[in-house]
């Protein structure tokens, strides 16, 4: 095993680590979905920014996870990429 894999296994025994890891995983899933929608729409960050009336750097910050988007922003992003926003809450 790699050292990173071993470290992850060791840390996974901690409930606090597991909780934080799950949160990061959920955030990464949102980011991946945003990038996938933009890519499927054949849009560059600059193209998408023009559709949303913002800057390419704002799209880059959104897609990097450096900012937490509002539902309104996610709806506009979905509309601009020809997709539909679907938010759901699931039991743990």
């Amino acid at each position: 095993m790699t050292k990173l894999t071993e470290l992850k296994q060791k840390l996974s025994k901690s409930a606090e680590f597991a909780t934080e890891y799950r949160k990061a995983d959920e955030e990464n899933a949102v980011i991946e979905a945003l990038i996938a929608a933009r890519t499927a729409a054949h849009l560059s960050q600059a193209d998408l920014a023009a559709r949303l009336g913002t800057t390419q750097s704002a799209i880059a910050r959104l897609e990097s996870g450096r900012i937490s988007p509002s539902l309104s922003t996610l709806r506009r992003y979905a509309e601009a990429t020809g997709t539909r926003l679907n938010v759901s809450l699931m039991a743990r």
Side-chain angles (χ1 to χ4, degrees), residues 1 7 12 30 34 42-43 51 57 61 69 84-86:
M1 268 190 252
L7 178 62
S12 293
V30 172
L34 292 174
H42 305 290
L43 296 171
R51 287 187 181 192
S57 61
R61 284 191 301 277
R84 182 178 57 87
L85 178 63
N86 179 20

Side-chain angles (χ1 to χ4, degrees), residues 5 12 16 19 25 29 32 35 38 45 53 74-75 81 86 91:
T5 303
S12 293
E16 182 181 353
T19 299
D25 233 14
E32 288 173 10
I35 295 169
R38 179 178 55 77
Q45 288 182 341
L74 292 174
R75 280 188 198 106
T81 58
N86 179 20

Side-chain angles (χ1 to χ4, degrees), residues 15-36:
E16 182 181 353
F17 175 83
T19 299
E20 293 303 314
Y21 192 83
R22 188 180 64 249
K23 286 179 188 177
D25 233 14
E26 292 166 352
E27 291 175 12
N28 286 335
V30 172
I31 292 166
E32 288 173 10
L34 292 174
I35 295 169

